[in-house]
Amino acid sequence: MKRIYTYIMLAAGLLMSSCQEYFIDSQPELPPTLYIDALDEYTVVAASPSRIVFNISSNTPWKIETDSQWCIPEPAMSASSSLVAEIVITPEDNETEYSRTATLTVTADEIGIVKTIKVLQNKMKEQILLVLADDPAENTITAGDGTQGESLVNINSNKPWMISSTDLPEWLKVSKEGEGQIKVNVTANNTLSERNALIKLTAQGTEETAEFTFKIVQPSPIIVADGAKLSVDAMTGYTKVEFTKGEMFRTAYTIAKGRTVIELDDMKMSSIYNLGFNFTAASGANYKLHMEGDNTYWYRCAGGFSWVAPIKKKYTLDEVNAIRKLEFVVENDTASPGKLMISIYINDVLYGTQTGRTDIFATGDPGCHFIFEAGNDPTPGDYCVFKSITYLTE
């Protein structure tokens, strides 16, 4: 009985040993695999390109190689502690004017090349520089002081450029002076207000065209007195001057020999008070026309021009309000060498001439300012509308 039991136990042991060996031998090793969810191709912009993100899962070590330093993956190989990773590619900016391509190759141990990824990056958009080199406030250039003049405007550009404005006003001429300057010529500002114009430039690149606009401002040629009431008509550019006591405005420039023409669009003088067209120099020399409706008008020279009896005439209010043009002419007196003769015309009719006047300009006086003024108590609401004040030198 004992012997039978021993045989049974031995047989069971052999059977168990045989089963265990069969189980181990039947478990095969997993083949090396790698899964990647990246696209075959990506396209990114030149400036501040977006990141490219994809995932790799693998049961075998892997690495990513790139042929372009501007397109580096992170991480570039599997970590020893993990075979699953998120891959991030942050392309650098393309600062060139050419597109470019990077090729990334993913390989795994015992597999070889698993995937090739291309990253296409657009070229940088062509950069065109076209600005005023002197950087004035709000791209505005001031041309002179209201008188005729010439000035230069500096231009900074990295491309060939041209002046493309086609509708410039008559008072302004501009021309290109080489690749870095514009010559600006302005006629004298005969209005009483500031005037301006827009200048458009165009630069031509290889593929792109750029435009740049700046403003040229010619200042008002007059200085407005405190308390004066001047308003400019937006349609005509004419200036309405409401009569107030004392000086209302004066020219910023000075007037010497030559012709000063004052054109009016309208005049309203409803009572007798003094209205003066006064040309006064710093030395005190002056000549002036005083107007008093329904009373005596008188024209005189005084101060450094040497005093002289005024030329007097009478005008009615209707005749005053019909005045549209005043002309003051200062010229050499041919009958008295070294002296001046000063004439006044009203509506193209000679009012009078003062001869033998001292030539203050020959002794260095820079000239007279034209001053428009009213005497005491002008009637509220009375006014005149100036079209232009034009000073023509000899």
Side-chain angles (χ1 to χ4, degrees):
M1 201 59 186
K2 241 184 223 187
R3 184 177 294 170
I4 293 172
Y5 177 75
T6 300
Y7 287 140
I8 292 173
M9 290 300 292
L10 180 59
L14 291 172
L15 179 62
M16 289 180 64
S17 175
S18 175
C19 290
Q20 185 175 5
E21 288 177 4
Y22 175 78
F23 175 77
I24 292 172
D25 292 340
S26 66
Q27 293 296 318
E29 294 184 7
L30 294 176
T33 59
L34 183 146
Y35 173 75
I36 180 170
D37 61 4
L39 301 177
D40 294 335
E41 187 173 287
Y42 294 89
T43 300
V44 295
V45 297
S48 301
S50 300
R51 299 186 310 162
I52 298 170
V53 180
F54 56 84
N55 297 287
I56 291 179
S57 60
S58 175
N59 65 357
T60 187
W62 52 264
K63 64 180 178 180
I64 306 175
E65 295 178 305
T66 179
D67 64 357
S68 302
Q69 291 303 305
W70 59 267
C71 191
I72 304 294
E74 180 63 35
M77 62 178 61
S78 55
S80 58
S81 60
S82 173
L83 298 181
V84 179
E86 179 184 78
I87 311 302
V88 178
I89 301 172
T90 306
E92 297 177 359
D93 287 357
N94 184 3
E95 297 179 353
T96 74
E97 294 184 6
Y98 304 95
S99 58
R100 58 188 180 182
T101 303
T103 301
L104 291 85
T105 304
V106 183
T107 60
D109 287 0
E110 302 182 44
I111 299 177
I113 296 176
V114 178
K115 191 176 186 66
T116 299
I117 303 168
K118 290 189 179 296
V119 179
L120 309 178
Q121 187 172 37
N122 297 329
K123 63 183 180 180
M124 182 68 72
K125 183 179 179 181
E126 186 175 21
Q127 302 297 309
I128 300 180
L129 174 68
L130 183 62
V131 296
L132 295 177
D134 299 330
D135 193 27
E138 299 181 353
N139 291 325
T140 298
I141 298 293
T142 300
D145 58 0
T147 57
Q148 179 177 334
E150 179 180 291
S151 57
L152 293 173
V153 177
N154 295 317
I155 303 297
N156 190 5
S157 179
N158 63 348
K159 304 289 182 181
W161 58 275
M162 60 181 291
I163 301 170
S164 50
S165 300
T166 58
D167 55 351
L168 296 180
E170 293 183 357
W171 57 269
L172 174 65
K173 293 187 183 302
V174 294
S175 58
K176 185 176 179 180
E177 296 290 305
E179 287 301 316
Q181 288 184 323
I182 292 176
K183 181 185 290 185
V184 177
N185 290 93
V186 292
T187 62
N189 186 354
N190 62 358
T191 71
L192 275 67
S193 60
E194 174 185 285
R195 55 188 184 184
N196 56 72
L198 296 177
I199 307 299
K200 184 168 69 175
L201 308 181
T202 301
Q204 184 62 59
T206 305
E207 298 177 345
E208 302 287 336
T209 299
E211 290 185 345
F212 174 72
T213 301
F214 67 96
K215 181 188 290 186
I216 289 182
V217 173
Q218 186 179 37
S220 168
I222 65 168
I223 301 170
V224 180
D226 291 340
K229 298 179 180 179
L230 279 68
S231 57
V232 179
D233 186 289
M235 294 295 293
T236 63
Y238 300 163
T239 300
K240 180 179 180 180
V241 182
E242 297 181 45
F243 296 154
T244 53
K245 179 181 177 180
E247 179 178 328
M248 290 171 276
F249 70 83
R250 66 173 58 200
T251 56
Y253 55 87
T254 56
I255 294 165
K257 295 179 185 179
R259 186 179 299 265
T260 304
V261 181
I262 299 169
E263 293 187 279
L264 305 175
D265 183 63
D266 191 14
M267 171 82 85
K268 179 189 176 186
M269 193 171 181
S270 60
S271 61
I272 299 174
Y273 58 88
N274 185 13
L275 192 64
F277 294 80
N278 183 0
F279 293 79
T280 300
S283 62
N286 65 86
Y287 56 95
K288 61 181 69 178
L289 174 68
H290 281 277
M291 304 167 62
E292 299 175 14
D294 280 337
N295 209 317
T296 301
Y297 274 30
W298 50 279
Y299 156 53
R300 74 172 191 190
C301 293
F305 287 114
S306 69
W307 288 84
V308 66
I311 300 174
K312 298 182 178 181
K313 294 185 179 181
K314 280 195 172 184
Y315 282 78
T316 67
L317 285 173
D318 287 342
E319 289 173 322
V320 171
N321 291 328
I323 293 175
R324 293 295 178 266
K325 183 178 181 182
L326 293 166
E327 189 171 0
F328 299 81
V329 181
V330 181
E331 55 191 336
N332 293 324
D333 189 343
T334 56
S336 301
K339 300 292 186 179
L340 298 176
M341 54 188 296
I342 305 176
S343 305
I344 297 179
Y345 296 80
I346 297 179
N347 289 344
D348 293 320
V349 176
L350 179 63
Y351 177 97
T353 300
Q354 295 283 15
T355 60
R357 300 301 93 207
T358 300
D359 187 352
I360 65 169
F361 313 117
T363 58
D365 195 303
C368 305
H369 293 275
F370 165 61
I371 302 170
F372 187 51
E373 59 188 0
N376 294 330
D377 303 322
T379 302
D382 281 6
Y383 64 87
C384 68
V385 177
F386 285 81
K387 294 173 64 175
S388 64
I389 301 174
T390 304
Y391 170 51
L392 304 171
T393 58
E394 288 184 303

